[in-house]
Structure formats: structure tokens, C-alpha cells
Amino acid sequence: MGHIRNAIDYRVFARTVSGHKRFYIRFLYNGKIFLTRATDAPTSAKAGAIAARIMQEEDLESIAKAKESGKRGALDDIDRYAQMPVSKFLLFFWDPQQSPYLSDLAAAGRPLSGSYIHSMRRNAERFFVPIPLFSEMPMRDIKLKHIDSLFRELRKSGKSRTMLNSIRRTIQTPCNWLAVRNGMSKINFAALIMPKDGARDRGILTLEELEKILNLEAVAPWYDSKQRPHLEIRARPRLSDAQKNKGEPAVGWREKLIVVLGALTGMRVGEMRALQWKNVDLQNGLIQVSSNYTNFDGIKPPKARSKRDVPISTALEGALLEARKIAQLLGAAEPNNFVLLNAADFHKPISDTTIKRAWLRVLRAIGISKEEQKARNLVVHGLRHLYATRLIDAGLTPIEAAKLTGHKVLSTLGRYSDHTQQETLRKSKQILDNIKP
């Protein structure tokens, strides 16, 4: 059933919903649907009467023209994007203040992290903006051969597979977004040749080295002449005649706590930075990992399905009790205060730079030189690998271990725990030595 009035007409149709027939009105403008209304009409004829009344009472033609204008404006935008030079479009696409892509994701409740957006925009600035071709060529004209040529040069320059994948995402996502909107031809990015994955496995500390760290004597905060507390290590005196201080510099209580916390909880760096005293339950021996901190997003939930409780071991309990005692002396032990204190501002998380420096200082304190650290590829994130390895070696199943490490994908946990420690090798040899022929 339909009715025509100038450029506006309507159609009545029925659908069965939960066993009951319901009538709907579909309004059209110049033959194109622009509005659908549900009715409570018992018959098609009565639904038609409702449609006639709506057409009399509402300015449907204005609504239709407004919607048509909006779509035309969107199409005009796509055409404008397609004409933008590649480098200019990439900077626009990865700009949180302008990008329709980023805006749509945020509106849908799936925003990209600030760190990721920053890395994509930085890639655009470093690898696309300096190339004259991409500063002149419009997006609609870019082809696989142009991108392939860039990647060929990047491979020759020694860029890693990880870096090339990041650069690929910088251009692939905008191209795919524009292609599905008919702004350009689709590009087969799977045809790009990537180098072999040459990433080195992260090294992990031995249990003897961890024991040395746990037994380190840490320096407490010191006070200056004005009785102001200082969390950083007191600088050693400068010696004259090019002399150097003997031995390694002391390790502060905060530096030791950073390494112990990472080794005995498997927390990510961002999770350690976000840890507050309200998340530490010393009475029940549990730490609630519920937040992550990044420089671009601030405090936010951890990675998907990473919220978890981890047990506080005896060694970690002692370190946390000492840290809480110091925090109370400094007036920084409130529930919302951070466990790892920021020396400049107790209300802000510790910086990632401070964590990296603490890691290197602690390694030197137990006799691991800078050269050995590089040769073994010992990095802060390796503490997470150490934690996972110890859980698996202790007899936990991968599923049980994943609940403590916060891994969503078990194959990733497998990479973390795929380390054979010397202690495991010795135990294996003892078992084999006891086998009699």
C-alpha cells in the first residue's frame, strides 16, 4: 500500500515480531528511503491513515533534503580526502582532533590508545612526509608499486620486521578506510615482502641473580639541611685529577622495589606505574592489578582481560612493608598514592625513564656490566618472562599461569615461559643420573 504526495511517498509493510504482526511505514523521497516509522495499527489501512497524518503534520521533505545533503556532504569529504597528497592525508588521518576514523572509533567505545596513535603519526612524519612523491601524489592515485618501492628501501636500510609492520599499519589502515568508501582502489598489502623476524629473545635473570637482588642493602630516603626528603640516591662526591669513585653506586629502596615488584608479580611496566596502595592488600596477601599507565593516556584499564589478583610472596611482602613505612613517613601512604613514588610529585606515577635507570643500576649492583646486559638482552620486560618461567617450572599449568600473568592468548605465554634456567637443567641432570641401566 502506498501514497504519493509530490516528491514524498510511503509504503506500508508488515513484519511478525514475537508472534504478532506489526505494521511499519517506510517514507521515500524521489524513490529513495529516508525514514521508517513503527506503528501500533492493527491493519494496513489504519497504518496508511497514520502515514497520511504524519505527512500533514511533519515537514518530511525538509527532513529528506537534510539527510540527502548530509550524505552528499560526506561524499564530498571522501572526494576531498582522495585528492589530498598522501603525506598530508596520513597526518590528517592520525590526528585525534581531525580524523573521522579516530572519532568514529571513540564514539563506538573502541578508541585507540594515545601511544598507538602517536606512533602512527610519528611514522607518517618520519617515513612519508620527507618523500617528494608522497607530498605530491593524491591518495586516489597511490598504488602498491609506490609503497613497495618505499619498503624496498627500508629493508635495505636494515629496518626490522617489527618496525616495517608498524610503518605498514600507518599507511594500510588509511588506504583501507578510504578504499571501502570508494575514494581509491584497494591495495593488496599482503604482497609486501617483509624480512625474516630477527628479533632477539629477551634474556632473564637466574635465580641466583634474583637472590642477589633480594639481598641487596638498599639506601633509604635522605634529608637535606632543610629537612626535605629525597628519594633519589645522594650523589657521590666529585674527585679531582680525573679520579673515579670506586665500586658501583648504591641502590635506593625505590630502585630495588621496582625490580623486586616486577620479578615477583610479572606486572607490566605500565601496571607497576599505576599501582596504588588501595590495590595492595597486605592482610590477605594480594595485589589487585586493575590499572595501566601510559604517557599519552594516563591511567586506564590494563590490556583486555588482564585484570587479575596476584599473590604477595614472603620476599615481596617484606619489600612492600618497608615501602609503606617509608611512604607513611613521607605522607604518601594514602589509598590513592602510588606505590612507586615519583620524587618530583607524589601524586603522579613514576616515570618509565626512572624505572629503566633503576633496572640498570640494580644490574650493575649485582655484578652485571653494561656489556653483559646488552649481550644477554636483559631488559625490564624480561622480569615478566622470569615470572612466567618460574610459574611454569613450579608446576602450574599454562592456564593457571595465564591467570596470574594476565595473558589472554596462551601462545604468547608460551613465548614468555619458553626459557630453560640453569636450575631446571641441573634438576633434569639429577633425575637422569638416578636412572639405572
Side-chain angles (χ1 to χ4, degrees):
M1 177 181 178
H3 178 81
I4 300 177
R5 177 187 175 187
N6 298 326
I8 302 288
D9 66 349
Y10 70 85
R11 298 288 183 270
V12 173
F13 65 99
R15 282 182 181 166
T16 301
V17 180
S18 301
H20 300 283
K21 181 181 282 189
R22 294 196 64 180
F23 291 94
Y24 297 81
I25 307 165
R26 184 172 285 155
F27 293 97
L28 301 91
Y29 179 66
N30 291 331
K32 295 182 179 180
I33 300 169
F34 72 94
L35 184 65
T36 300
R37 293 276 180 89
T39 75
D40 293 326
T43 65
S44 175
K46 291 192 176 182
I50 293 173
R53 186 176 71 250
I54 291 173
M55 292 176 69
Q56 287 180 350
E57 296 175 352
E58 299 183 30
D59 188 358
L60 295 182
E61 189 166 350
S62 295
I63 295 174
K65 287 181 178 179
K67 289 195 173 185
E68 187 176 65
S69 175
K71 290 181 179 179
R72 187 162 48 245
L75 291 175
D76 290 344
D77 283 342
I78 296 300
D79 187 55
R80 180 167 58 86
Y81 300 153
Q83 295 178 43
M84 289 173 67
V86 174
S87 57
K88 183 178 180 180
F89 179 70
L90 294 184
L91 294 176
F92 164 80
F93 189 87
W94 293 114
D95 183 345
Q97 306 303 320
Q98 301 184 72
S99 172
Y101 169 72
L102 298 178
S103 176
D104 288 346
L105 283 180
R110 299 187 292 115
L112 295 179
S113 73
S115 299
Y116 182 83
I117 296 170
H118 175 75
S119 67
M120 294 295 102
R121 188 172 175 86
R122 190 160 177 261
N123 286 343
E125 293 170 344
R126 289 180 61 193
F127 302 109
F128 292 91
V129 171
I131 298 177
L133 174 68
F134 293 134
S135 296
E136 300 169 1
M137 176 181 290
M139 281 296 297
R140 66 186 176 195
D141 292 342
I142 191 171
K143 300 290 187 292
L144 175 64
K145 63 181 182 181
H146 304 124
I147 301 171
D148 194 34
S149 178
L150 168 64
F151 272 64
R152 189 175 296 112
E153 294 302 315
L154 292 173
R155 287 196 302 271
K156 289 180 181 178
S157 70
K159 290 290 182 291
S160 68
R161 183 185 181 92
T162 300
M163 186 73 244
L164 286 175
N165 271 324
S166 177
I167 298 169
R168 175 184 54 78
R169 288 191 294 271
T170 302
I171 182 71
Q172 181 175 352
T173 303
C175 285
N176 288 347
W177 184 87
L178 198 55
V180 297
R181 289 162 178 79
N182 298 318
M184 61 177 288
S185 299
K186 188 171 180 60
I187 295 175
N188 180 20
F189 282 89
L192 290 176
I193 297 175
M194 294 292 180
K196 183 180 179 181
D197 188 1
R200 296 170 58 199
D201 289 336
R202 292 186 177 95
I204 64 172
L205 299 172
T206 65
L207 291 186
E208 286 88 353
E209 289 167 339
L210 177 58
E211 191 70 23
K212 287 182 180 179
I213 293 172
L214 293 174
N215 291 328
L216 280 175
E217 288 191 18
V219 179
W222 58 279
Y223 293 81
D224 59 24
S225 58
K226 296 182 179 179
Q227 292 303 303
R228 290 175 302 191
H230 292 264
L231 299 181
E232 66 276 12
I233 300 296
R234 189 195 299 263
R236 293 195 288 183
R238 290 186 177 182
L239 303 179
S240 59
D241 300 327
Q243 292 181 319
K244 293 184 178 180
N245 287 292
K246 295 181 180 180
E248 295 296 340
V251 171
W253 68 274
R254 185 181 57 162
E255 294 167 323
K256 178 180 176 180
L257 177 61
I258 288 169
V259 179
V260 171
L261 186 63
L264 301 184
T265 66
M267 294 170 67
R268 301 175 178 93
V269 169
E271 293 169 344
M272 289 195 291
R273 295 176 70 189
L275 185 65
Q276 296 169 297
W277 283 113
K278 65 183 178 183
N279 306 124
V280 179
D281 185 351
L282 290 168
Q283 183 175 357
N284 293 306
L286 290 173
I287 289 178
Q288 182 186 52
V289 183
S290 59
S291 300
N292 182 46
Y293 185 89
T294 69
N295 293 334
F296 294 94
D297 299 303
I299 292 183
K300 64 176 187 177
K303 287 186 175 181
R305 299 214 303 264
S306 283
K307 289 186 177 182
R308 61 200 184 278
D309 290 337
V310 295
I312 298 175
S313 65
T314 302
L316 180 58
E317 180 183 24
L320 288 172
L321 286 171
E322 180 65 20
R324 185 162 181 80
K325 180 180 177 181
I326 293 173
Q328 288 170 338
L329 290 174
L330 298 174
E334 295 299 318
N336 288 329
N337 281 127
F338 295 98
V339 174
L340 299 178
L341 290 175
N342 184 321
D345 187 342
F346 293 164
H347 298 289
K348 292 182 180 179
I350 192 171
S351 72
D352 49 1
T353 300
T354 301
I355 289 179
K356 292 175 183 176
R357 287 175 179 169
W359 167 247
L360 296 177
R361 183 183 285 259
V362 169
L363 289 185
R364 290 199 304 272
I366 63 170
I368 297 178
S369 65
K370 187 176 181 180
E371 292 72 25
E372 182 183 353
Q373 176 256 325
K374 287 186 176 180
R376 291 172 58 184
N377 197 23
L378 295 173
V379 295
V380 179
H381 196 73
L383 293 172
R384 190 161 158 76
H385 291 236
L386 172 63
Y387 182 70
T389 299
R390 293 183 67 218
L391 293 178
I392 297 296
D393 285 352
L396 266 65
T397 67
I399 292 178
E400 290 171 331
K403 291 180 179 179
L404 296 177
T405 60
H407 282 101
K408 182 173 65 173
V409 181
L410 289 182
S411 60
T412 305
L413 173 63
R415 294 203 308 272
Y416 273 53
S417 59
D418 191 20
H419 297 271
T420 303
Q421 292 193 310
Q422 292 299 318
E423 292 78 7
T424 303
L425 293 175
R426 284 198 295 269
K427 289 179 182 178
S428 300
K429 184 178 183 302
Q430 290 174 359
I431 293 172
L432 293 171
D433 287 344
N434 290 327
I435 298 177
K436 303 299 181 181

